[in-house]
Amino acid sequence: MTTTEHRAAPSGGTPPAAVGDWTPEELERNGQLLLKRLGEHFASLRTQPVTTDRSAKEIHQLFDEPLPTGPQDFADVLDQTWRDVRPHLTQWNHPRFHAYFSNSSSGPAILAETAAAALNVNVMLWDAAPAAAAVESTVLRWLCEMLSYPADGDAVLVDGASLATLYALAAAREHLTGLDVRRTGLAGGPVLRVYASDQTHSSIDKAAITLGLGLDNVVRLPARPDGSMDPAGLDARLRADLADGYRPLAVVANVGTTSTGGIDPLDDIAELCARHGVWLHVDAAYGGFWRLADPVRPHLPALAVADSLVANPHKVLLCPMEASALLSRHRDALTNTFRLVPEYLTTRHEDGSVDFMNYSLQLGRQFRALKLWWILKSFGTDGIASRLTASAGLADRLRTAAGTAPHWQVTNGHTPFPLVCLRYAPEGLDRAETDDLNRRIHHRVNAGRRSFVSHTVTGDGYVIRVSIGNIHTRAEDVDALWDELTDAARREGGDL
């Protein structure tokens, strides 16, 4: 290409031909290259390490190259991606990834992400993406039905539970009577407080920082041994704070705590919130959609008592990051908080139109609903339920193995979710020694790179945390993990 081809055309002249994008034929050809690689990737997934053994410095060096000034052939870019990127990821979509909250990216969703990127619509205003807004409205109604939550309030898809919680607490603040924080701010007003158990996610603290409440006004109540909030303790603290002049803003309850899968007694907490005039936000980011699984559903409380609710399709519904559903049973709870329409965003309205920019802080919004729409239509709720039920059965398989093995303990037997906390506790060790032993077992398993688990610290001490929920995970993967855990215990425990 000559230098003159990059110059702007003279005034009134014909602009140069576009040189940046592929032709439709090139898009199809290169897309086929990628799909072939992805097919090979999934076919060989069990033989691939779950994570890398390279240092941070070594990984950075792989990509420490000059800014490209000329085009590179896509086949070469794809080759480098498979050579340098894929082997040095921690592969969350691997059947033996059991850390954090194991999730999935299923076939329909993978293709939906490609289609959404190609269409590249911004689902902010109805006029900007009419069909996309309609699909999101339908998907949100379906999600409410799956959660047995009222569908006649406010609902929106956001990127994750942390921002959903921030938005919910902002809506709770707007809902307070006698305050106009939207116009006058918090200056001179009462000190607002948020209440949660000490097992509640740290996003509550980040929301308090962002909303100007302050960390001192996040009241953390000691959880009961099963990880749940104590309603009597909550009631006592609410009464004491009201007597001292504080204004309770919200209680955050859990259906599936991060550490152990604990479940708060929602009915009792909702009754207290109603008595004291406090907003109830329920974090069901992990636990909400597990009610589709027959073995789990009987153990879960009704969610309809929540003033607001977050549940994450990207944790449970075979859906890739990022997709989180924020729901409120109060119509206009979110829109009264976030609606602000400058002239350049003023458009026509008609019956049925919806402007999703009014439901959160986000203006530029990707077409998240498409992947959920494709998943739900491709699998149906019965298909999703059968896959979740299978994951619950695999967790029971691991619990049974650990429960019958010498020195192994299942420390969160209270939870119905496929989240298994294990602790190796041979006799003769004090707590610190047992903690260190479990830490070494955990690190040895992950260093083997055949499986990947995480940990938490509970009242029992350091425990190895195994989350099961990937669509690709089978009994052989759980059995392989158990073999690795017991082998690591023998090697690290020595003659104990």
Side-chain angles (χ1 to χ4, degrees):
M1 183 176 295
T2 65
T3 304
T4 56
E5 288 180 273
H6 291 285
R7 293 175 183 164
S11 177
T14 302
V19 295
D21 205 4
W22 293 334
T23 65
E25 293 77 16
E26 288 171 326
L27 178 63
E28 181 179 358
R29 182 173 66 251
N30 291 327
Q32 288 173 345
L33 288 177
L34 174 59
L35 287 175
K36 184 175 186 296
R37 289 290 185 102
L38 291 175
E40 293 167 350
H41 166 77
F42 283 109
S44 64
L45 204 50
R46 280 182 177 78
T47 66
Q48 298 173 32
V50 186
T51 192
T52 181
D53 59 354
R54 297 285 187 91
S55 68
K57 183 177 180 180
E58 289 174 311
I59 293 172
H60 276 294
Q61 287 174 342
L62 294 172
F63 309 104
D64 187 12
E65 55 187 322
L67 173 67
T69 56
Q72 299 178 13
D73 188 81
F74 179 71
D76 294 336
V77 176
L78 192 56
D79 283 343
Q80 184 184 10
T81 303
W82 247 245
R83 183 183 68 246
D84 295 341
V85 177
R86 187 190 68 153
H88 305 301
L89 296 170
T90 296
Q91 297 198 45
W92 284 58
N93 208 27
H94 195 290
R96 294 182 182 177
F97 178 90
H98 306 295
Y100 313 112
F101 282 124
S102 177
N103 59 19
S104 292
S105 181
S106 59
I110 292 169
L111 298 182
E113 289 279 61
T114 303
L119 298 171
N120 194 36
V121 297
N122 184 349
V123 196
M124 56 176 187
L125 297 165
W126 177 264
D127 278 357
V135 168
E136 183 161 345
S137 296
T138 293
V139 164
L140 287 164
R141 175 172 56 81
W142 288 350
L143 296 180
C144 286
E145 184 176 344
M146 293 159 69
L147 294 164
S148 297
Y149 191 79
D152 55 355
D154 278 3
V156 65
L157 291 176
V158 297
D159 65 351
S162 294
L163 279 182
T165 294
L166 171 68
Y167 300 148
L169 293 181
R173 190 176 64 181
E174 182 66 22
H175 192 74
L176 283 175
T177 58
L179 294 181
D180 190 1
V181 174
R182 183 182 171 95
R183 290 196 172 276
T184 63
L186 288 170
V191 176
L192 305 179
R193 288 198 149 174
V194 177
Y195 302 81
S197 81
D198 58 11
Q199 296 300 301
T200 301
H201 194 271
S202 59
S203 59
I204 304 302
D205 304 272
K206 288 188 176 183
I209 294 169
T210 306
L211 293 171
L213 306 178
L215 290 174
D216 288 348
N217 294 306
V218 178
V219 179
R220 293 279 187 168
L221 303 167
R224 296 183 291 196
D226 65 357
S228 68
M229 183 184 290
D230 177 15
L234 172 63
D235 187 30
R237 189 57 187 265
L238 287 169
R239 291 177 184 276
D241 281 356
L242 285 165
D244 289 339
Y246 294 103
R247 182 83 184 266
L249 168 64
V251 172
V252 179
N254 301 285
V255 177
T257 59
T258 301
S259 283
T260 65
I263 301 170
D264 291 337
L266 294 192
D267 286 342
D268 293 340
I269 294 170
E271 192 276 328
L272 286 174
C273 288
R275 186 190 312 164
H276 293 293
V278 181
W279 184 278
L280 174 58
H281 175 65
V282 172
D283 181 349
Y286 173 59
F289 290 111
W290 279 105
R291 68 186 54 247
L292 294 174
D294 290 340
V296 178
R297 186 185 314 109
H299 303 280
L300 301 185
L303 300 174
V305 297
D307 292 292
S308 58
L309 170 73
V310 57
N312 279 6
H314 71 221
K315 283 190 171 72
V316 179
L317 295 185
L318 319 179
C319 177
M321 304 287 285
E322 306 159 344
S324 184
L326 171 59
L327 314 172
S328 175
R329 60 186 172 89
H330 302 286
R331 181 175 292 279
D332 293 329
L334 297 173
T335 55
N336 286 343
T337 304
F338 297 110
R339 184 188 290 112
L340 190 122
V341 186
E343 179 58 34
Y344 51 81
L345 293 175
T346 300
T347 61
R348 66 184 176 88
H349 287 90
E350 58 184 278
D351 185 36
S353 64
V354 57
D355 296 339
F356 278 108
M357 72 174 191
N358 294 329
Y359 290 74
S360 74
L361 288 175
Q362 196 171 13
L363 179 59
R365 301 181 68 253
Q366 61 180 283
F367 192 1
R368 288 191 182 92
L370 185 66
K371 56 190 173 186
L372 283 166
W373 194 54
W374 283 23
I375 289 168
L376 292 170
K377 290 177 75 67
S378 297
F379 292 119
T381 55
D382 288 346
I384 293 172
S386 68
R387 288 163 172 83
L388 298 185
T389 297
S391 291
L394 293 177
D396 286 341
R397 184 183 186 94
L398 180 60
R399 289 189 186 101
T400 298
T404 56
H407 310 310
W408 283 94
Q409 302 170 350
V410 177
T411 65
N412 69 331
H414 57 272
T415 187
F417 301 119
L419 174 63
V420 185
C421 292
L422 301 174
R423 184 168 167 88
Y424 186 64
E427 296 178 1
L429 300 182
D430 61 24
R431 174 165 171 155
E433 291 169 329
T434 306
D435 284 350
D436 183 63
L437 175 57
N438 280 270
R439 186 179 298 107
R440 297 198 312 271
I441 293 169
H442 169 207
H443 291 169
R444 179 177 282 273
V445 167
N446 285 359
R449 301 193 295 146
R450 296 183 300 276
S451 298
F452 197 85
V453 294
S454 58
H455 84 284
T456 191
V457 176
T458 68
D460 298 292
Y462 190 105
V463 299
I464 299 165
R465 189 177 166 283
V466 181
S467 174
I468 297 174
N470 190 287
I471 192 173
H472 305 290
T473 302
R474 302 195 294 247
E476 67 189 80
D477 302 305
V478 175
D479 292 346
L481 171 63
W482 177 240
D483 288 343
E484 292 165 36
L485 286 166
T486 53
D487 180 68
R490 284 192 298 270
R491 291 175 181 271
E492 294 296 340
D495 296 328
L496 294 176

Coordinates of all heavy atoms in Angstrom, one line a residue, residues 161-169 193-220 229 249-254 258 281-284 308 310:
A161 N -23.4 -8.8 40.2 CA -24.1 -8.6 41.5 C -23.6 -7.4 42.2 O -24.4 -6.8 43.0 CB -24.0 -9.9 42.3
S162 N -22.3 -7.1 42.1 CA -21.8 -6.0 42.9 C -22.5 -4.6 42.5 O -22.9 -3.9 43.4 CB -20.3 -5.9 42.7 OG -19.6 -7.0 43.3
L163 N -22.6 -4.4 41.2 CA -23.3 -3.2 40.8 C -24.8 -3.3 41.0 O -25.4 -2.3 41.3 CB -23.0 -2.9 39.3 CG -21.6 -2.2 39.0 CD1 -21.4 -1.9 37.6 CD2 -21.5 -0.9 39.8
A164 N -25.3 -4.5 40.8 CA -26.8 -4.6 41.1 C -27.1 -4.2 42.6 O -28.1 -3.6 42.9 CB -27.2 -6.1 40.9
T165 N -26.2 -4.6 43.5 CA -26.4 -4.3 44.9 C -26.2 -2.8 45.1 O -27.0 -2.2 45.9 CB -25.3 -5.1 45.7 OG1 -25.6 -6.5 45.6 CG2 -25.4 -4.7 47.2
L166 N -25.3 -2.2 44.5 CA -25.1 -0.7 44.6 C -26.4 0.0 44.1 O -26.9 0.9 44.8 CB -24.0 -0.3 43.7 CG -23.8 1.2 43.5 CD1 -23.4 1.9 44.8 CD2 -22.8 1.5 42.4
Y167 N -26.9 -0.5 43.0 CA -28.2 0.2 42.4 C -29.4 -0.1 43.4 O -30.2 0.8 43.6 CB -28.5 -0.4 41.0 CG -27.4 -0.1 40.0 CD1 -27.2 -1.0 39.0 CD2 -26.6 1.0 40.1 CE1 -26.2 -0.8 38.0 CE2 -25.6 1.2 39.1 CZ -25.4 0.3 38.1 OH -24.4 0.5 37.1
A168 N -29.4 -1.3 43.9 CA -30.5 -1.6 44.8 C -30.5 -0.7 46.1 O -31.5 -0.2 46.5 CB -30.5 -3.1 45.2
L169 N -29.3 -0.5 46.7 CA -29.2 0.3 47.8 C -29.5 1.8 47.5 O -30.0 2.5 48.3 CB -27.8 0.2 48.5 CG -27.6 -1.2 49.1 CD1 -26.2 -1.3 49.7 CD2 -28.7 -1.6 50.1
R193 N -27.8 3.5 57.8 CA -27.1 2.3 58.1 C -27.7 1.1 57.3 O -28.9 1.0 57.0 CB -27.1 2.0 59.6 CG -26.2 2.9 60.4 CD -25.9 2.4 61.7 NE -24.6 2.8 62.1 CZ -24.0 2.6 63.3 NH1 -24.7 1.9 64.2 NH2 -22.8 3.1 63.6
V194 N -26.7 0.2 56.9 CA -27.1 -1.0 56.2 C -26.7 -2.2 57.1 O -25.6 -2.2 57.7 CB -26.3 -1.1 54.9 CG1 -26.6 -2.4 54.2 CG2 -26.7 0.1 54.0
Y195 N -27.5 -3.2 57.1 CA -27.3 -4.4 58.1 C -27.1 -5.6 57.3 O -27.9 -5.9 56.3 CB -28.5 -4.5 59.0 CG -28.7 -3.2 59.8 CD1 -29.4 -2.1 59.3 CD2 -28.2 -3.1 61.1 CE1 -29.6 -1.0 60.0 CE2 -28.4 -1.9 61.8 CZ -29.1 -0.9 61.3 OH -29.2 0.3 62.0
A196 N -26.2 -6.4 57.7 CA -25.9 -7.7 57.0 C -25.2 -8.6 57.9 O -24.6 -8.2 58.9 CB -25.1 -7.5 55.7
S197 N -25.2 -9.9 57.6 CA -24.4 -10.8 58.5 C -22.9 -10.7 58.1 O -22.5 -10.1 57.0 CB -24.8 -12.3 58.3 OG -24.3 -12.8 57.1
D198 N -22.0 -11.2 58.9 CA -20.6 -11.2 58.6 C -20.2 -12.1 57.5 O -19.1 -12.2 57.1 CB -19.8 -11.5 59.8 CG -20.1 -12.8 60.5 OD1 -20.8 -13.7 59.8 OD2 -19.6 -13.1 61.6
Q199 N -21.2 -12.9 56.9 CA -21.0 -13.7 55.7 C -21.4 -13.1 54.4 O -21.2 -13.7 53.4 CB -21.7 -15.0 55.9 CG -21.3 -15.9 57.1 CD -19.8 -16.2 57.0 OE1 -19.4 -16.9 56.0 NE2 -19.0 -15.8 57.9
T200 N -21.9 -11.9 54.5 CA -22.4 -11.2 53.3 C -21.3 -10.7 52.4 O -20.2 -10.3 53.0 CB -23.4 -10.0 53.7 OG1 -24.4 -10.6 54.5 CG2 -23.9 -9.3 52.5
H201 N -21.5 -10.6 51.2 CA -20.4 -10.3 50.2 C -19.9 -8.9 50.4 O -20.6 -8.0 50.9 CB -21.0 -10.4 48.8 CG -20.0 -10.4 47.7 ND1 -19.5 -9.3 47.1 CD2 -19.3 -11.5 47.1 CE1 -18.6 -9.6 46.2 NE2 -18.5 -10.9 46.2
S202 N -18.6 -8.7 50.1 CA -17.9 -7.4 50.3 C -18.5 -6.3 49.4 O -18.1 -5.1 49.6 CB -16.4 -7.6 50.0 OG -16.2 -8.0 48.7
S203 N -19.3 -6.7 48.4 CA -19.9 -5.6 47.6 C -20.8 -4.7 48.4 O -21.0 -3.5 48.0 CB -20.7 -6.3 46.5 OG -21.8 -7.1 47.0
I204 N -21.3 -5.1 49.5 CA -22.0 -4.3 50.4 C -21.2 -3.1 50.9 O -21.6 -2.0 50.9 CB -22.6 -5.1 51.6 CG1 -23.4 -6.2 51.1 CG2 -23.4 -4.1 52.5 CD1 -24.6 -5.9 50.2
D205 N -19.9 -3.4 51.3 CA -19.0 -2.4 51.8 C -18.7 -1.5 50.6 O -18.6 -0.2 50.9 CB -17.8 -3.1 52.3 CG -18.1 -4.1 53.4 OD1 -18.2 -3.7 54.6 OD2 -18.3 -5.3 53.1
K206 N -18.4 -2.0 49.5 CA -18.1 -1.1 48.3 C -19.3 -0.2 48.0 O -19.1 1.0 47.6 CB -17.7 -1.9 47.1 CG -16.3 -2.6 47.2 CD -15.9 -3.2 45.9 CE -14.5 -3.8 46.0 NZ -14.0 -4.4 44.7
A207 N -20.5 -0.7 48.1 CA -21.6 0.1 47.8 C -21.7 1.3 48.9 O -22.1 2.4 48.5 CB -22.9 -0.7 47.8
A208 N -21.5 0.9 50.1 CA -21.5 1.9 51.2 C -20.5 3.0 50.9 O -20.8 4.2 51.2 CB -21.3 1.3 52.5
I209 N -19.3 2.6 50.5 CA -18.3 3.6 50.1 C -18.8 4.5 49.0 O -18.7 5.8 49.1 CB -17.0 2.9 49.7 CG1 -16.4 2.2 50.9 CG2 -16.0 3.9 49.2 CD1 -15.2 1.2 50.6
T210 N -19.3 3.9 48.0 CA -19.7 4.7 46.8 C -20.9 5.6 47.1 O -20.9 6.7 46.5 CB -20.1 3.7 45.7 OG1 -19.0 2.8 45.4 CG2 -20.4 4.4 44.4
L211 N -21.8 5.1 47.9 CA -23.0 5.9 48.2 C -22.8 7.0 49.3 O -23.7 7.7 49.6 CB -24.2 5.0 48.6 CG -24.7 4.1 47.5 CD1 -25.7 3.1 48.0 CD2 -25.4 4.9 46.3
G212 N -21.6 7.0 49.8 CA -21.3 8.0 50.9 C -21.9 7.6 52.2 O -21.9 8.5 53.1
L213 N -22.2 6.4 52.4 CA -22.7 5.9 53.7 C -21.6 5.7 54.7 O -21.7 6.0 55.9 CB -23.5 4.6 53.6 CG -24.7 4.6 52.6 CD1 -25.3 3.3 52.6 CD2 -25.7 5.7 52.9
G214 N -20.4 5.2 54.2 CA -19.3 5.0 55.1 C -19.2 3.6 55.6 O -20.3 3.0 55.9
L215 N -18.1 3.0 55.7 CA -17.9 1.7 56.2 C -18.4 1.5 57.6 O -18.8 0.4 58.0 CB -16.5 1.2 56.1 CG -15.9 1.0 54.6 CD1 -14.4 0.7 54.6 CD2 -16.7 -0.1 54.0
D216 N -18.3 2.6 58.4 CA -18.7 2.5 59.8 C -20.2 2.3 59.9 O -20.7 1.8 61.0 CB -18.3 3.8 60.6 CG -16.9 3.9 60.8 OD1 -16.1 2.9 60.6 OD2 -16.4 5.0 61.2
N217 N -20.9 2.5 58.9 CA -22.4 2.3 58.9 C -22.9 1.1 58.2 O -24.0 1.0 57.9 CB -23.1 3.6 58.4 CG -22.8 4.8 59.2 OD1 -23.1 4.7 60.4 ND2 -22.2 5.8 58.7
V218 N -21.9 0.2 57.9 CA -22.3 -1.2 57.5 C -22.2 -2.0 58.8 O -21.1 -2.3 59.3 CB -21.3 -1.7 56.4 CG1 -21.7 -3.2 56.1 CG2 -21.4 -0.8 55.2
V219 N -23.3 -2.4 59.3 CA -23.4 -3.2 60.5 C -23.3 -4.7 60.2 O -24.3 -5.2 59.6 CB -24.7 -2.8 61.3 CG1 -24.7 -3.6 62.6 CG2 -24.7 -1.3 61.6
R220 N -22.2 -5.3 60.6 CA -22.0 -6.7 60.3 C -22.4 -7.5 61.6 O -21.8 -7.3 62.6 CB -20.6 -7.0 60.0 CG -20.1 -6.4 58.6 CD -20.6 -7.3 57.5 NE -20.0 -6.8 56.2 CZ -20.1 -7.6 55.1 NH1 -20.6 -8.8 55.2 NH2 -19.6 -7.1 54.0
M229 N -28.1 -15.5 59.0 CA -28.3 -14.3 59.9 C -29.2 -14.7 61.0 O -30.2 -15.4 60.8 CB -28.9 -13.1 59.1 CG -29.1 -11.9 59.9 SD -29.9 -10.6 58.9 CE -28.6 -10.1 57.8
L249 N -31.4 2.0 56.7 CA -31.7 2.1 55.3 C -32.1 0.8 54.7 O -33.1 0.7 54.0 CB -30.4 2.6 54.5 CG -30.5 2.5 53.0 CD1 -31.5 3.5 52.5 CD2 -29.1 2.9 52.4
A250 N -31.3 -0.3 54.9 CA -31.6 -1.6 54.3 C -31.0 -2.7 55.1 O -30.0 -2.5 55.7 CB -31.1 -1.6 52.8
V251 N -31.6 -3.9 54.9 CA -31.0 -5.1 55.4 C -30.7 -5.9 54.1 O -31.5 -6.0 53.2 CB -32.0 -5.9 56.3 CG1 -31.4 -7.3 56.6 CG2 -32.3 -5.2 57.6
V252 N -29.5 -6.5 54.1 CA -29.1 -7.3 53.0 C -29.0 -8.8 53.5 O -28.2 -9.1 54.3 CB -27.7 -6.9 52.4 CG1 -27.3 -7.8 51.2 CG2 -27.8 -5.5 51.9
A253 N -29.9 -9.6 52.9 CA -30.0 -11.0 53.3 C -29.4 -11.9 52.1 O -29.3 -11.4 51.0 CB -31.4 -11.4 53.6
N254 N -29.1 -13.1 52.4 CA -28.4 -14.0 51.5 C -29.2 -15.3 51.2 O -29.7 -15.9 52.1 CB -27.0 -14.4 52.0 CG -26.2 -13.2 52.3 OD1 -25.6 -12.6 51.4 ND2 -26.0 -12.9 53.6
T258 N -21.3 -16.5 49.9 CA -20.1 -16.9 49.1 C -19.2 -17.9 49.7 O -18.7 -18.8 49.0 CB -19.3 -15.6 48.8 OG1 -20.1 -14.6 48.2 CG2 -18.1 -15.9 48.0
H281 N -33.1 -6.1 50.8 CA -32.4 -6.5 49.5 C -31.9 -7.9 49.7 O -31.3 -8.2 50.8 CB -31.3 -5.6 49.2 CG -30.5 -6.0 48.0 ND1 -31.1 -6.1 46.7 CD2 -29.2 -6.5 47.9 CE1 -30.2 -6.5 45.9 NE2 -29.0 -6.8 46.5
V282 N -32.2 -8.8 48.8 CA -31.8 -10.2 48.9 C -30.7 -10.5 47.8 O -30.9 -10.3 46.6 CB -32.9 -11.2 48.7 CG1 -32.4 -12.6 48.6 CG2 -33.9 -11.0 49.9
D283 N -29.6 -10.9 48.3 CA -28.5 -11.3 47.4 C -28.6 -12.8 47.2 O -28.2 -13.7 48.0 CB -27.1 -11.1 48.1 CG -25.9 -11.5 47.2 OD1 -26.1 -12.1 46.2 OD2 -24.8 -11.1 47.6
A284 N -29.3 -13.1 46.0 CA -29.4 -14.5 45.6 C -28.6 -14.7 44.3 O -29.0 -15.5 43.4 CB -30.9 -14.8 45.3
S308 N -36.0 -5.8 46.8 CA -35.1 -5.9 45.6 C -34.3 -7.2 45.7 O -34.1 -7.7 46.8 CB -34.2 -4.7 45.5 OG -33.3 -4.6 46.6
V310 N -31.2 -9.6 43.6 CA -30.2 -9.9 42.5 C -30.0 -11.4 42.4 O -29.8 -12.1 43.4 CB -28.9 -9.1 42.8 CG1 -28.2 -9.5 44.1 CG2 -27.9 -9.4 41.6

